Amino acid sequence: MYIGYVVYYFTRSSFKVLDLFFIKEGILTKESHGFILASAGLAYAISKFLSGILTDLTSPSILMALGLFISGSINIFMADQSNFDAFFLFWTINGLAQGLGWPPVANMLTKWYITKERGSWWGFWSTSHNLGEFLMPLIVVMFANNWKMGLYVPGFLAIITSVFLLNRLRSSPKDAGLKEIKDSEASSDFMKKEGSFYETLIKYVFSNRYIWFLILSSSLIYFVR
């Protein structure tokens, strides 16, 4: 999960850190570059929510690998483009693919660790964001005279890593042939609520005030980040 999400950040940050190259070569303006990033951010938000539902209904490990494969492919396709329309289309699709990363991890962390362990392991896993953002600009600097390599390298790394995840990542201890974590059943309580999936979503997610408090606080944190 850690390695996979580091590489997710490679393919998420690549276009962002290449802005000076695009502007210097007259491929994009500051405004058009910002518009593309904003569109991808919105696509990422929508995808994150929908993939959260998919994660509850399917295999988290496969979803995570699939998202990384698509994102890597998009980075490679982007390297052969040089106009606003293509960049806008592909990077918005990349935002949708990026949404397949975080929800599966949240699901798997809950299944692999008992309640009293989750804070420590979740905190450790969260440093994958920072490591990815730290390494990506260094990768771009290595190819300072060729912005295309700033997309090719993360793209190929992502595709290779997606195959690795598909081969090695397991959604739960049971999938790895191990005993289930004793209190991991709490993670599936949502699926055991009475009523249809849609009714459960409305009652326990959209009508949950604590979720809305978390949304507000997280949004404000991102403003200053």
Side-chain angles (χ1 to χ4, degrees), residues 42 78 136:
L42 180 60
M78 289 275 286
M136 185 56 214

Side-chain angles (χ1 to χ4, degrees), residues 7-8 10-12 14 64-81 86-87 89-98 100 148 150-163:
V7 181
Y8 256 96
F10 287 174
T11 55
R12 181 185 309 171
S14 54
M64 187 180 186
L66 176 63
L68 191 56
F69 180 85
I70 296 173
S71 187
S73 300
I74 291 297
N75 271 253
I76 293 172
F77 293 152
M78 289 275 286
D80 293 323
Q81 310 304 318
F87 282 149
L89 174 62
F90 282 121
W91 208 244
T92 300
I93 296 174
N94 187 55
L96 295 174
Q98 286 287 318
L100 296 175
K148 291 179 180 291
L151 290 167
Y152 277 133
V153 174
F156 283 115
L157 282 175
I159 290 175
I160 293 170
T161 305
S162 70
V163 176

Side-chain angles (χ1 to χ4, degrees), residues 6 35 92-93 109-110 122 179 222 224:
V6 167
F35 186 77
T92 300
I93 296 174
L109 281 170
T110 304
W122 201 297
K179 293 182 179 180
Y222 262 81
V224 294

Side-chain angles (χ1 to χ4, degrees), residues 13-24 33 75 136 140 143 146-151:
S13 302
S14 54
F15 189 76
K16 180 171 62 176
V17 299
L18 290 170
D19 57 352
L20 292 178
F21 292 89
F22 296 135
I23 294 169
K24 181 180 178 181
H33 185 264
N75 271 253
M136 185 56 214
V140 171
F143 306 103
N146 188 349
W147 64 265
K148 291 179 180 291
M149 293 301 293
L151 290 167

Side-chain angles (χ1 to χ4, degrees), residues 53-60 63 111 171:
I53 297 174
L54 279 175
T55 297
D56 285 337
L57 301 174
T58 59
S59 170
L63 276 181
K111 290 179 179 176
S171 298

Side-chain angles (χ1 to χ4, degrees), residues 37-206:
L37 293 178
S39 175
L42 180 60
Y44 179 42
I46 295 171
S47 175
K48 227 175 183 181
F49 171 64
L50 295 178
S51 68
I53 297 174
L54 279 175
T55 297
D56 285 337
L57 301 174
T58 59
S59 170
S61 60
I62 292 177
L63 276 181
M64 187 180 186
L66 176 63
L68 191 56
F69 180 85
I70 296 173
S71 187
S73 300
I74 291 297
N75 271 253
I76 293 172
F77 293 152
M78 289 275 286
D80 293 323
Q81 310 304 318
S82 59
N83 64 81
F84 170 80
D85 291 339
F87 282 149
F88 176 79
L89 174 62
F90 282 121
W91 208 244
T92 300
I93 296 174
N94 187 55
L96 295 174
Q98 286 287 318
L100 296 175
W102 158 245
V105 169
N107 183 288
M108 288 184 283
L109 281 170
T110 304
K111 290 179 179 176
W112 274 98
Y113 300 104
I114 61 175
T115 304
K116 66 179 181 180
E117 295 176 327
R118 288 175 194 155
S120 299
W121 284 108
W122 201 297
F124 170 70
W125 173 83
S126 294
T127 64
S128 62
H129 303 64
N130 310 99
L131 183 60
E133 284 197 312
F134 165 73
L135 292 175
M136 185 56 214
L138 298 181
I139 292 175
V140 171
V141 168
M142 290 172 60
F143 306 103
N145 295 320
N146 188 349
W147 64 265
K148 291 179 180 291
M149 293 301 293
L151 290 167
Y152 277 133
V153 174
F156 283 115
L157 282 175
I159 290 175
I160 293 170
T161 305
S162 70
V163 176
F164 169 74
L165 293 180
L166 199 60
N167 178 258
R168 302 302 303 166
L169 190 60
R170 297 293 178 266
S171 298
S172 68
K174 184 178 180 181
D175 289 345
L178 304 172
K179 293 182 179 180
E180 289 284 358
I181 301 298
K182 288 185 178 180
D183 68 347
S184 65
E185 294 181 359
S187 66
S188 61
D189 281 350
F190 176 79
M191 303 299 295
K192 297 176 182 177
K193 301 294 185 184
E194 294 182 1
S196 68
F197 187 85
Y198 176 77
E199 292 171 341
T200 303
L201 198 63
I202 296 295
K203 184 176 181 180
Y204 294 100
V205 177
F206 290 124

